[in-house]
Amino acid sequence: MFNDFSQHLYSNPGTLSIELKDSGFKFDVDIERSGNQGVGFMKTFCYDLVYTILQVRKEFGFHMLIHDSTIFVGVDERQVVKALQLAHKLANDNGFQYICTLNTDIIPYKEMDACLYGQKNAIPPESVARTTGLAEEKIRLVYKQIA
């Protein structure tokens, strides 16, 4: 799964390897272009998706994944859109809820498409909540399976 998810974002599959050592499990994740901070956050993004899907399949834990806007710091707008589209599809296909809060200044409006807006289960940008006292506007894109 990790390989497929990272390939969706960067055209080349990444790797997730897990070793059992005397001290416990050792996790190693790699995406070919992992020299910058943004790609590092996308490793976490892909790992979180794998873990959430496994929770759903094994019927334990919360059937939801929540990310803050920091998951996309330093990530190219095209990868942000691909990541949001991937999370949307996987949430719908696997029966979990995906919630991501985004600062409006990092929403790649030009790259977005109807996959994210215009769906019954997504909050459109025009309903951005303006909360008094906050330095930045935030928008929640909520994806959930509609029964």
Side-chain angles (χ1 to χ4, degrees):
M1 281 190 284
F2 183 90
N3 299 28
D4 294 337
F5 301 162
S6 59
Q7 185 169 13
H8 178 80
L9 299 175
Y10 292 104
S11 300
N12 294 319
T15 58
L16 167 63
S17 53
I18 304 169
E19 282 184 65
L20 181 56
K21 298 202 169 227
D22 292 338
S23 58
F25 290 101
K26 180 182 182 256
F27 294 85
D28 186 35
V29 291
D30 188 43
I31 295 177
E32 197 171 295
R33 300 164 38 170
S34 46
N36 71 36
Q37 179 184 16
V39 177
F41 284 134
M42 290 297 89
K43 289 179 188 179
T44 302
F45 179 85
C46 292
Y47 175 83
D48 289 350
L49 287 171
V50 170
Y51 186 75
T52 302
I53 290 169
L54 291 175
Q55 282 188 19
V56 171
R57 289 182 182 172
K58 296 293 183 184
E59 297 184 4
F60 73 93
F62 297 103
H63 293 188
M64 73 169 46
L65 175 58
I66 302 172
H67 283 135
D68 187 69
S69 60
T70 56
I71 197 77
F72 296 119
V73 170
V75 177
D76 182 273
E77 286 184 351
R78 292 165 297 182
Q79 273 68 42
V80 172
V81 171
K82 286 181 179 182
L84 292 171
Q85 289 171 333
L86 180 63
H88 176 256
K89 178 179 180 352
L90 293 172
N92 284 328
D93 291 352
N94 292 279
F96 68 91
Q97 184 176 22
Y98 181 70
I99 300 170
C100 183
T101 62
L102 295 172
N103 295 335
T104 55
D105 61 334
I106 67 164
I107 296 174
Y109 292 106
K110 292 178 186 173
E111 303 288 337
M112 299 294 235
D113 64 20
C115 178
L116 297 173
Y117 298 137
Q119 299 276 331
K120 289 190 292 186
N121 54 351
I123 297 174
E126 49 274 5
S127 52
V128 171
R130 299 178 189 272
T131 307
T132 309
L134 288 181
E136 300 172 292
E137 297 176 77
K138 291 199 173 187
I139 186 171
R140 284 189 327 160
L141 300 173
V142 180
Y143 303 100
K144 63 181 179 179
Q145 182 177 8
I146 308 257

